[in-house]
Amino acid sequence: MSIESKNRSIFPREEDIPTQFRLKGELIQREYLVDGELRTWKGRMHDVYSPVCIQTAGGIVPKALGRFPLMSGKESLRALQAAVKAYDNGRGQWPAMSVRERIRCVEKFTVRMKERKKDILLLMMWEIGKSYHEAQKEFDRTIGYIENTFDAVKDMNRVSSRFVAEQGIIGQIRRSPLGVVLCMGPFNYPLNETFATLIPALLMGNTAIFKPPKLGVLLHYPLLRALQESFPPGVVNTVYGDGKRVITPLMASGKVDVLAFIGSSRTADIVKSRHPRPQRLRSVLGLEAKNPAIVLRDSDLDNAVKECVSGSLAFSGQRCTALKIIFVHAEIAERFIASFVREVRKLKVGMPWEKDVTITPLPEQGKTEYLAGLLEDAQAHGARIINRLGGKVNKTIFYPTVVYPVSSSARLYHEEQFGPLVPIVPFEDIETPVRYIIESSYGQQASIFGKDPDIMGNLVDVFANQVCRVNINSMCQRGPDIFPFSGRKDSAEGTLSVSDALRVFSMRTIVATKEKEKNRQIFKKVVSKNK
Ligand code: G3H
């Protein structure tokens, strides 16, 4: 079959879908979780369509997946009330519980989550177009993250139960919860990035309102009952619907203490600005990025190409950590590009269930048009598409596209494309990529490919003050999850990692006294009675 006819038939007929990846009808979610109750929503619903299209007699159409509630501000305020009540100014059952008991609740939830793995993976594939392999990786990584968090929280608890004596004062420095957390994850890692904030927030004793991302709502539905049955009433509450309607009143109430949000800086700014006392709001934000790769003249080309292809195109380029622009030294540009294009050609484009597929349908509405616009603009500024099928679009599929040489006047040089479009820029003077990083609105990570330790060392020094992770001869990535994940400028606020997340969702509180025998005795008795 020619590439062109394969492109035409890339979307399946219902009967072509392997049985284990078929959905059993549409999923209609009417329930939402408030104050420990699964309530039934009777109002307006949102129709969910898959980015995966189906060939039918009437043409190629997006597959209908189901529906979820479009709640109003009234219901989201009830969820807030429940979270505020469960926290009860830090005197509620949950914040007052021992860490061990909280861990037990989260363990119970994790067991239930594992039982629903199959359903969640299937919904993830259909709802956001993630490949089966990537969905599995995301699920397992999330479970690993939660389990590692148990160890981290136990360690933290052990350390903070000790007494410190200094200058005639003895004190116990513990970490206390902050209050009500509003938790919103992104569509590209809907499970992982949601639970990587929600679980540490809960383990530290906070209560939560959880709003799933706009794309990737139904995949959380199999977990709703598990959330209800694993936690005391009001500890986790869910809201669904349009952000303006459900989030604005929450923030305007001034009762949200922590905003945990992974998404765009534009939305984060709007949400934060609704809080009447912004100085009281703690924000934990993971935002956009435009991580560059800099390929130096002496780099190991095979390795640089391999890392740059995977770094820019894994999960169709929809990773916040993806390499979103590649600077290549002009002397090796031709060889780099030839090899890069050869590797891109090997990438499989297809449906999420296909083995070894890398490029899958894009879930964001209008995304292929946006990418086509960026491409057209780059071409108008002198760039060429340099790979076969580059620039081709079929419904929600955007074929991996490599463009060269991309000029600094092109939008693609500055905007985060978040898709399978790779701009390559030649440079002769290292100041070109250095200025790029300094002048960029973003500051998450960078990758440097090369061998000379003097040159590499100098670049690391410069980049370390511009971004939060410098990768040597390897692509940008978040993991392993014990490493701090953060960003400068418009890329993040706060730091996440298994242990850092426990810190950002808590604050240190000290109980201190003058070192006198009477005080010592009181301290001892309180501790021995496990008060
Ligand atoms: O979208 C951002 C993800 O956290 C990226 O994670 O670098 O491990 O793919 P990753």
Side-chain angles (χ1 to χ4, degrees):
M1 193 190 288
S2 74
I3 297 273
E4 277 68 25
S5 59
K6 184 165 185 314
N7 177 23
R8 272 195 301 277
S9 63
I10 197 153
F11 292 108
R13 294 168 303 172
E14 281 285 354
E15 58 270 32
D16 300 330
I17 303 165
T19 330
Q20 72 269 35
F21 297 116
R22 287 191 196 161
L23 291 165
K24 297 180 194 81
E26 288 189 33
L27 189 60
I28 313 295
Q29 168 173 357
R30 290 197 185 277
E31 294 92 343
Y32 60 102
L33 176 60
V34 172
D35 207 8
E37 258 180 59
L38 287 184
R39 299 194 184 158
T40 305
W41 172 247
K42 298 200 178 76
R44 288 191 310 134
M45 301 281 278
H46 180 79
D47 294 312
V48 183
Y49 290 96
S50 175
V52 175
C53 299
I54 302 290
Q55 291 191 45
T56 66
I60 299 176
V61 292
K63 169 117 177 125
L65 299 182
R67 315 175 83 195
F68 65 78
L70 273 179
M71 289 165 55
S72 70
K74 202 168 97 199
E75 288 75 34
S76 76
L77 283 175
R78 286 213 186 107
L80 176 67
Q81 247 169 30
V84 168
K85 187 174 86 181
Y87 189 67
D88 191 15
N89 297 303
R91 299 165 70 185
Q93 181 194 3
W94 185 252
M97 235 183 217
S98 72
V99 165
R100 210 159 281 281
E101 284 173 292
R102 278 190 227 128
I103 290 179
R104 261 200 289 277
C105 295
V106 179
E107 273 171 346
K108 185 172 168 191
F109 171 71
T110 314
V111 170
R112 302 281 302 271
M113 183 167 166
K114 287 182 192 164
E115 288 166 6
R116 303 306 303 266
K117 179 173 179 177
K118 216 171 125 210
D119 305 316
I120 295 169
L121 296 193
L122 194 61
L123 285 164
M124 202 187 287
M125 291 163 68
W126 280 100
E127 225 178 335
I128 60 161
K130 190 166 264 199
S131 72
Y132 180 62
H133 170 69
E134 290 287 342
Q136 239 176 340
K137 257 185 20 196
E138 181 173 344
F139 188 94
D140 295 343
R141 178 180 181 175
T142 308
I143 297 289
Y145 192 102
I146 297 174
E147 290 173 348
N148 289 337
T149 304
F150 294 150
D151 296 333
V153 80
K154 282 182 207 157
D155 281 350
M156 180 179 272
N157 206 35
R158 235 187 330 269
V159 172
S160 63
S161 61
R162 292 182 199 139
F163 287 95
V164 183
E166 186 71 35
Q167 296 176 27
I169 307 274
I170 42 171
Q172 193 189 40
I173 309 165
R174 303 187 65 91
R175 296 208 76 98
S176 309
L178 299 168
V180 174
V181 179
L182 171 59
C183 190
M184 297 191 278
F187 84 83
N188 61 334
Y189 283 83
L191 197 71
N192 184 262
E193 301 226 25
T194 299
F195 287 99
T197 53
L198 181 64
I199 297 298
L202 293 175
L203 282 170
M204 292 315 289
N206 302 282
T207 60
I209 302 162
F210 158 43
K211 180 186 176 291
K214 197 151 61 182
L215 306 161
V217 176
L218 294 176
L219 66 92
H220 290 98
Y221 188 33
L223 297 174
L224 203 56
R225 193 165 284 282
L227 287 172
Q228 182 211 13
E229 291 173 2
S230 308
F231 298 100
V235 171
V236 185
N237 308 276
T238 61
V239 296
Y240 308 91
D242 175 43
K244 260 200 215 103
R245 285 171 70 96
V246 294
I247 299 302
T248 308
L250 292 183
M251 295 307 289
S253 74
K255 290 182 180 157
V256 171
D257 301 296
V258 189
L259 169 67
F261 172 75
I262 320 286
S264 75
S265 56
R266 211 188 115 259
T267 309
D269 286 346
I270 296 174
V271 174
K272 277 175 75 167
S273 71
R274 299 292 185 255
H275 199 288
R277 288 170 165 170
Q279 85 285 357
R280 284 196 182 187
L281 180 72
R282 175 165 309 183
S283 300
V284 184
L285 310 175
L287 308 170
E288 59 272 42
K290 181 99 178 165
N291 295 341
I294 293 106
V295 185
L296 301 170
R297 195 170 17 196
D298 64 347
S299 65
D300 167 349
L301 263 197
D302 287 346
N303 175 64
V305 166
K306 192 176 111 276
E307 293 289 319
C308 286
V309 168
S310 175
S312 56
L313 289 167
F315 184 34
S316 310
Q318 300 171 107
R319 295 163 56 240
C320 60
T321 46
L323 290 173
K324 297 193 178 109
I325 188 160
I326 302 176
F327 289 89
V328 184
H329 194 280
E331 270 180 34
I332 56 160
E334 209 173 299
R335 280 191 296 136
F336 178 87
I337 286 167
S339 167
F340 194 88
V341 166
R342 257 197 314 276
E343 290 305 310
V344 169
R345 212 167 161 167
K346 292 182 195 161
L347 298 180
K348 190 160 169 181
V349 180
M351 297 301 108
W353 51 82
E354 288 179 37
K355 194 166 175 289
D356 301 326
V357 70
T358 301
I359 306 295
T360 49
L362 304 174
E364 287 177 284
Q365 238 197 345
K367 190 60 190 253
T368 54
E369 291 83 348
Y370 169 70
L371 294 173
L374 282 183
L375 179 58
E376 202 181 308
D377 174 75
Q379 288 174 297
H381 286 93
R384 295 184 321 277
I385 298 175
I386 54 167
N387 64 314
R388 196 152 79 102
L389 293 183
K392 285 227 175 330
V393 177
N394 185 350
K395 304 278 177 196
T396 49
I397 297 259
F398 193 93
Y399 281 75
T401 303
V402 188
V403 263
Y404 175 85
V406 172
S407 122
S408 59
S409 336
R411 284 167 53 206
L412 186 53
Y413 193 86
H414 307 278
E415 285 179 36
E416 183 192 36
Q417 66 272 42
F418 216 75
L421 178 56
V422 188
I424 301 184
V425 183
F427 72 90
E428 275 170 22
D429 183 353
I430 192 65
E431 270 302 297
T432 306
V434 168
R435 294 252 42 105
Y436 177 83
I437 293 189
I438 292 174
E439 283 157 19
S440 169
S441 304
Y442 309 115
Q444 192 197 62
Q445 300 190 15
S447 291
I448 312 172
F449 295 89
K451 287 189 193 124
D452 185 321
D454 292 334
I455 300 178
M456 303 287 274
N458 282 339
L459 284 178
V460 168
D461 281 348
V462 175
F463 290 178
N465 292 347
Q466 300 300 324
V467 297
C468 284
R469 175 164 163 168
V470 185
N471 301 279
I472 305 295
N473 292 325
S474 41
M475 64 189 231
C476 296
Q477 63 181 59
R478 174 176 176 158
D481 289 324
I482 55 153
F483 280 15
F485 179 54
S486 190
R488 296 169 186 263
K489 303 184 204 168
D490 291 348
S491 286
E493 193 173 329
T495 302
L496 289 172
S497 77
V498 168
S499 54
D500 283 296
L502 296 171
R503 290 192 200 111
V504 293
F505 290 109
S506 60
M507 63 164 61
R508 296 205 289 177
T509 316
I510 310 167
V511 182
T513 186
K514 298 255 167 71
E515 215 175 348
K516 289 183 184 154
E517 194 42 38
K518 266 200 266 175
N519 293 338
R520 231 178 226 290
Q521 287 310 320
I522 295 174
F523 260 43
K524 257 194 184 158
K525 281 184 190 149
V526 170
V527 172
S528 66
K529 289 186 181 156
N530 208 10
K531 289 279 181 185

